[in-house]
Amino acid sequence: MTHPTRPRGKMILADGTKYEGQLTGAATRPDFKHVWGEVVFNTSMTGYQEVITDPSYAGQIIVMTYPQIGNYGVTVEDSEKPECAARALVTRDLQEFFSPGPGRMSLENFMIDQNLAGITGVDSRAITRHIRDKGSVVAAIGRAEMSDEELLAIAKAHKLDRSERLVEHVSGSLNAVHEGSAALAAVLDLGVKKSIVENVRRLGLTTQVFDAGFKADDILNGGFDFVVVSNGPGDPTDIPHVVDEVKKLIGRIPMLGICLGHQLIALALGASTYKLKFGHHGANQPVLDMASGRVFITSQNHNYAVSDSIADHLGVQVTYTNAADGTLEGFLDEHRMIECVQFHPEASPGPHDCNFIFDRFLEHVTGWRAARAAKATGTGTPNVTPLKRGGGSHASA
């Protein structure tokens, strides 16, 4: 549908493919020139607000495969981070009208407030098929009056690499101590979603969030019972300083790795990572539990994966694989007190099939502590009480 007031625009991929439509969000401002980013497609039918505020999309242009986006507006409190880290949003039909409700605003007004550019009226599914066939590619979005050659040159001149400092740009805005029980949890914010912090807090533990500049000694000397290494954007090999600090934690404190955190812990163990052709982005990714044979539907957002060679490392057990393409989705290392998942157990958006991961990890931590205490005393009889879970919590700066 053509909107009477939206300016004409176009998106040109680095391979020369062009898509024409109407500019939306921050791209409708008179001072807008162009925006570039790596194109990824997301297959979620709902949850667009959580998608565009997920810090893992830093530097990327998000193409929504579902045609109508914006039908129920935006409620600011539902954002995963206060700011949008994505570069642009591409839709088939960005809805101007939305279901009314307290505190709601239109998605387009939210995009303007968040300085998030967009283009609509394009064939988003054609773009998706192109990315599936050719792989992830950089694109540039600009006004219709810009020459194709100029936009193409912009797309060809850029790539998402270490120089973009993606993790550093999205880390730190959720730093806080969240009071709970006497037990302590540390969350390493590499672009952490609010929902991950909330799920750790749900366990009742006092939770402290650290930014990407954390030091392992601060964790080890802080009296923490376990660490959650969070999601985040980009290539895990672009942040070797974080890998080095995580390596210092291995075997000394229980760790739960989620998405980027899963990849970083794997690197710290000596495994390798690689870039997927077009990544996993959406709320309907099937994951096979290797132990039970059950398939869970999960929420995912990543362009990189851990090599199957992780299974070659002593004590590492592959726990989950992707039922669609067979890629590694999780592993467990009982000896080093590590559990990792590539998918998002907190969902947001998506199904809550795997929300139990947080509770089960807490049970693992209690068991690991008991086993180590028994070994230290030489009694062979665990004498460790479960971590105390509080009933409520609050946040303080």
Side-chain angles (χ1 to χ4, degrees):
M1 178 184 293
T2 301
H3 193 280
T5 61
R6 288 172 177 157
R8 298 294 301 176
K10 54 192 173 184
M11 179 173 77
I12 297 185
L13 309 187
D15 63 14
T17 309
K18 180 172 72 171
Y19 300 93
E20 296 179 294
Q22 290 186 291
L23 299 177
T24 59
T28 62
R29 291 174 176 165
D31 59 347
F32 174 76
K33 296 181 180 179
H34 66 267
V35 65
W36 71 272
E38 182 181 48
V39 181
V40 297
F41 61 86
N42 186 291
T43 56
S44 301
M45 296 177 65
T46 60
Y48 50 79
Q49 179 179 349
E50 290 89 339
V51 168
I52 64 176
T53 58
D54 179 348
S56 296
Y57 282 107
Q60 295 180 324
I61 294 174
I62 306 169
V63 178
M64 302 299 294
T65 60
Y66 189 71
Q68 282 196 336
I69 300 296
N71 303 54
Y72 54 87
V74 166
T75 304
V76 174
E77 291 75 17
D78 292 337
S79 296
E80 286 296 325
K81 269 285 179 77
E83 311 86 18
C84 287
R87 298 272 171 87
L89 178 67
V90 179
T91 58
R92 176 68 183 91
D93 181 10
L94 185 69
Q95 285 292 295
E96 181 180 9
F97 302 102
F98 58 93
S99 302
R104 287 189 189 170
M105 62 191 300
S106 73
L107 174 56
E108 181 153 27
N109 283 339
F110 181 73
M111 291 170 64
I112 293 172
D113 289 349
Q114 289 286 322
N115 198 32
L116 179 65
I119 186 169
T120 193
V122 300
D123 188 343
S124 57
R125 294 184 178 182
I127 300 173
T128 298
R129 289 194 297 270
H130 186 84
I131 298 302
R132 283 185 61 90
D133 183 40
K134 304 296 184 180
S136 296
V137 62
V138 170
I141 297 173
R143 293 184 174 276
E145 53 265 30
M146 286 188 71
S147 71
D148 291 357
E149 292 75 18
E150 187 178 2
L151 274 179
L152 179 60
I154 292 169
K156 286 185 172 182
H158 291 92
K159 64 178 180 178
L160 286 185
D161 56 22
R162 190 174 301 186
S163 66
E164 291 294 312
R165 299 176 60 84
L166 297 175
V167 167
E168 289 86 343
H169 286 316
V170 298
S171 172
S173 63
L174 290 181
N175 280 17
V177 176
H178 307 277
E179 298 296 337
S181 72
L184 300 174
V187 175
L188 306 184
D189 174 11
L190 309 173
V192 71
K193 293 167 60 180
K194 178 182 70 175
S195 297
I196 290 179
V197 177
E198 289 179 344
N199 268 279
V200 177
R201 294 179 64 194
R202 174 179 60 80
L203 301 176
L205 283 66
T206 293
T207 305
Q208 184 168 349
V209 182
F210 293 82
D211 62 31
F214 80 97
K215 296 298 180 184
D217 286 344
D218 294 334
I219 306 295
L220 295 172
N221 297 328
F224 294 98
D225 293 286
F226 66 81
V227 179
V228 177
V229 188
S230 85
N231 66 293
D235 184 344
T237 63
D238 284 346
I239 46 175
H241 60 288
V242 177
V243 177
D244 290 341
E245 294 301 314
V246 169
K247 191 178 299 184
K248 297 173 185 177
L249 299 174
I250 288 178
R252 303 178 68 183
I253 186 171
M255 285 194 289
L256 173 64
I258 297 174
C259 197
L260 178 65
H262 156 87
Q263 299 163 15
L264 293 170
I265 292 175
L267 289 173
L269 286 170
S272 60
T273 57
Y274 63 98
K275 189 170 185 178
L276 296 166
K277 185 176 180 180
F278 47 80
H280 298 154
H281 309 276
N284 49 7
Q285 289 285 334
V287 166
L288 174 65
D289 182 336
M290 301 296 287
S292 68
R294 285 187 63 187
V295 172
F296 298 104
I297 303 302
T298 68
S299 180
Q300 299 195 23
N301 177 24
H302 60 101
N303 268 7
Y304 292 82
V306 174
S307 170
D308 293 344
S309 66
I310 188 74
D312 298 332
H313 292 265
L314 185 63
V316 174
Q317 172 191 352
V318 173
T319 51
Y320 300 101
T321 59
N322 191 290
D325 61 16
T327 53
L328 185 74
E329 291 281 359
F331 65 89
L332 179 68
D333 187 334
E334 295 274 10
H335 178 67
R336 300 179 184 91
M337 304 182 294
I338 292 170
E339 183 170 8
C340 288
V341 291
Q342 180 64 77
F343 51 87
H344 283 264
E346 81 289 349
S348 296
H352 292 168
D353 289 27
C354 294
N355 194 254
F356 67 87
I357 293 288
F358 295 98
D359 303 85
R360 189 182 66 187
F361 177 68
L362 188 64
E363 294 173 2
H364 281 164
V365 171
T366 299
W368 290 332
R369 291 173 69 240
R372 291 210 162 190
K375 183 177 180 179
T377 60
T379 62
T381 304
N383 188 28
V384 175
T385 57
L387 295 181
K388 184 179 179 182
R389 298 172 60 158
S393 59
H394 65 274
S396 59

